[in-house]
Amino acid sequence: MSEKILVVKHLVKYFKNRSGTLHAVDNVSFSIDRGKTLGIVGESGCGKSTTGRCILRLHEPTSGEVLFNGRDILTLRPAELRQARADMQIIFQDPFASLNPRKTVSELIGEPLRLHGRYRSNLERDVRVLRLMETVGLAPRFVNSYPHELDGGRRQRIGIARALALEPKFIVCDEPVSALDVSIQAQILNLLKELQENMGLTYIFITHDLSVVNYFSDDILVMYLGKMMEKAPSEKLFDNPLHPYTKALLSAIPIPSIHNRPERIILPGEITSPIDPPEGCRFAQRCAYCTDKCLRETPPYVEAEPDHFVACHLCQG
């Protein structure tokens, strides 16, 4: 039986502002098996990045549970959280903004090792940095370079090396290839795949690119305005999407063929405001199948098929 390395229960993150309460993440629950990848997809502003940051407590959740190896991360004290974070890392979206421009490659990769006191001498730390550079495909000649001297792909490799420095078991990949050229995207994705196979890593892979998430993920969670819309194994989600929002997303995937192209689903209406949203389905205002029930009642998140979960009144008879 597979082992659950991460279990998220009823995760909530609200932000207060002058207009009211922004529901960034609203009752999100899922689990990930050790060594697997969960892809989280959705439009900008759907809460996917906030979910990843709440799991690592880069944002403090409003409520919920995050069980990592059976231990609730949200109840840990600062010293305990510091130790736990060695096993939980993140790769940020922008490989330039996430790096200190005043530090060299060696200093950037070695910083986690220094902060956690992993090596007693600078020499031992430098040897480890060179090994990490080799692991992520960075030539040793860049050891004393600065981020602005490198291209986007190499900068992202620095970010990956930093994430690997403490030998974590779980990594949140927050749109790690969206700022890169297509050819470089493929290199980084293949690198992440190889690292997962060699090190047994578990990923949350956050992206808005469904083609990428299909290639990279074992399971896919679709979010919309902070809510879970659908979750299923990657192949099942692409073969038989149940939620109207998922169907619209899949119809937008570019296909390099002039034959057998699926009909593009254009979503009507306006996006519901995430600030103090009303009862009902968050997607109702843009759904072609919306009924009075959709506007009145929030659809429960249920298992419509084995391992296939959906929050839609249409899928529940």
Side-chain angles (χ1 to χ4, degrees), residues 59-86:
H59 292 319
E60 285 293 338
T62 303
S63 63
E65 293 180 79
V66 177
L67 304 177
F68 180 69
N69 284 330
R71 195 178 187 191
D72 190 356
I73 296 297
L74 306 187
T75 63
L76 298 183
R77 297 176 180 178
E80 297 172 322
L81 181 60
R82 179 185 175 88
Q83 294 178 350
R85 277 182 171 160

Side-chain angles (χ1 to χ4, degrees), residues 224-238:
Y224 184 81
L225 289 183
K227 284 282 191 179
M228 300 179 296
M229 297 289 107
E230 188 168 358
K231 179 180 177 292
S234 178
E235 184 175 343
K236 183 176 289 189
L237 188 85
F238 273 72

